[in-house]
Amino acid sequence: MTPLAPSRPVAPLWPGLVLAMLGAVAFSGKAIIVKLAYRHGVDAVTLIMLRMLFALPLFVALALWAGRGKAALTRRDWIAVMGLGFSGYYLASFLDFAGLAYISASFERLILYLNPTIVLLLGWLLFKRRVTARQLVALAISYAGVLLVFGQELHLQGADALLGAALVFGSAISYAVYLLYSGEEVKRLGALRLTGLATTVACLLCIAQFLVLRPLSSAFAVAPQVLWLSLLNATLCTFAPVLMVMMAIERLGATLAAQTGMIGPMSTILMGAVILGEPFTPWVAAGTLLVLSGVWLLTKWR
């Protein structure tokens, strides 16, 4: 008889789960930091420039580290990286920051969490991908939840809530476009290298936008709190979660990591209530439950 080969020990799931949860919470903290910075009179153009200025060295280092020993980028690769950087990190980030000036952090996070539903709809519109009846049910549940919370935002913020929701929804669409078109480039360059390069492009675009729209002298003519909040945003809420989520996906797979990321909207709502004093009402609770349920069903019925 041939002796059985010793089985390999199964790697525990808890390190990946911890990384996924920490990454989701850190990403969610971005909205809280932005809302805190707005209390010091800074505008979206300046705020996003400061965030990207502080993040730029980190993402350049990430791109260089991830590209060690790999082939140089072709002209086609550079065009793809610039397009993905514009859509996925520059435009999506700017619209998100601009929208947060008009709506609560909790509502912003719920809109952004609709991203899988937008990817599904864009896939149907652009690539004629089939959408099942069960997926349509999941979509309806998610958007019903957003409409519930939107009703409260209209009551609290007035007509500005419509502008803020439109800007953040535009951000979600822009990032969904990035997700749709980044698949092939991820295979060619790797996820970390593409993230480092695309985010570097976005950082440079945000800095260039500031130089065009604002005088250079105003770059640091902001409250010291804004500088510290921007540094925290660039490190703890931008660079660190990128690494944590990538490591979580490596350990858990994309599906389980995404499901664990559902803690993100809940953490934003909790931080919004505790730190920002945003109202947590039955409407917000019901809307959040519907959005999370719809996205979970969409992931399950994919």
Side-chain angles (χ1 to χ4, degrees):
M1 294 180 63
T2 305
L4 294 174
S7 59
R8 292 183 178 181
V10 178
L13 288 179
W14 70 264
L17 292 172
V18 170
L19 285 168
M21 288 188 290
L22 289 176
V25 172
F27 268 132
S28 300
K30 173 208 65 179
I32 306 300
I33 289 176
V34 171
K35 296 292 284 186
L36 288 173
Y38 277 147
R39 293 179 176 180
H40 298 281
V42 66
D43 62 88
V45 172
T46 303
L47 190 58
I48 195 171
M49 181 278 296
L50 291 172
R51 174 209 190 193
M52 293 306 209
L53 180 65
F54 289 131
L56 178 59
L58 300 174
F59 283 110
V60 169
L62 175 63
L64 293 174
W65 179 83
R68 293 171 305 159
K70 296 182 179 178
L73 271 66
T74 63
R75 181 174 178 273
R76 176 202 168 282
D77 288 332
W78 278 116
I79 292 173
V81 164
M82 287 188 287
L84 293 172
F86 175 86
S87 174
Y89 294 103
Y90 162 72
L91 184 59
S93 295
F94 179 70
L95 292 175
D96 183 35
F97 273 53
L100 274 167
Y102 304 103
I103 60 175
S104 67
S106 305
F107 187 40
E108 177 258 10
R109 181 52 45 183
L110 288 183
I111 295 175
L112 291 183
Y113 206 72
L114 292 174
N115 199 263
T117 71
I118 299 171
V119 171
L120 179 70
L121 292 172
L122 288 178
W124 171 67
L125 287 171
L126 299 176
F127 304 112
K128 308 302 179 185
R129 294 175 183 170
R130 180 172 171 266
V131 178
T132 67
R134 292 200 300 182
Q135 288 174 324
L136 290 176
V137 170
L139 289 178
I141 293 172
S142 292
Y143 284 87
V146 169
L147 288 175
L148 269 182
V149 183
F150 180 58
Q152 175 176 285
E153 290 287 320
L154 277 176
H155 176 70
L156 295 175
Q157 308 292 343
D160 285 347
L162 184 60
L163 174 59
L167 288 168
V168 175
F169 191 70
S171 170
I173 292 174
S174 184
Y175 193 71
V177 170
Y178 166 83
L179 292 176
L180 273 175
Y181 287 98
S182 63
E184 184 178 348
E185 210 61 30
V186 167
K187 294 176 184 176
R188 291 170 58 84
L189 301 179
L192 284 180
R193 190 182 186 192
L194 176 61
T195 299
L197 289 168
T199 312
T200 296
V201 168
C203 290
L204 295 174
L205 288 173
C206 290
I207 294 169
Q209 173 183 260
F210 174 84
L211 294 175
V212 170
L213 299 177
R214 301 285 185 272
L216 181 60
S217 59
S218 68
F220 295 98
V222 295
Q225 295 92 328
V226 173
L227 295 178
W228 286 110
L229 288 168
S230 297
L231 179 60
L232 186 64
N233 199 351
T235 53
L236 183 63
C237 300
T238 302
F239 183 74
V242 166
L243 295 183
M244 287 189 283
V245 170
M246 289 295 180
M247 289 188 289
I249 290 174
E250 184 180 28
R251 289 164 172 78
L252 302 175
T255 300
L256 183 53
Q259 290 172 349
T260 306
M262 286 185 175
I263 193 177
M266 298 303 299
S267 65
T268 302
I269 292 169
L270 178 61
M271 288 188 287
V274 173
I275 299 174
L276 301 176
E278 293 181 351
F280 181 71
T281 65
W283 294 106
V284 173
T288 302
L289 181 61
L290 286 172
V291 171
L292 295 180
S293 299
V295 173
W296 180 79
L297 288 172
L298 187 63
T299 304
K300 183 181 178 182
W301 292 341
R302 179 175 296 174

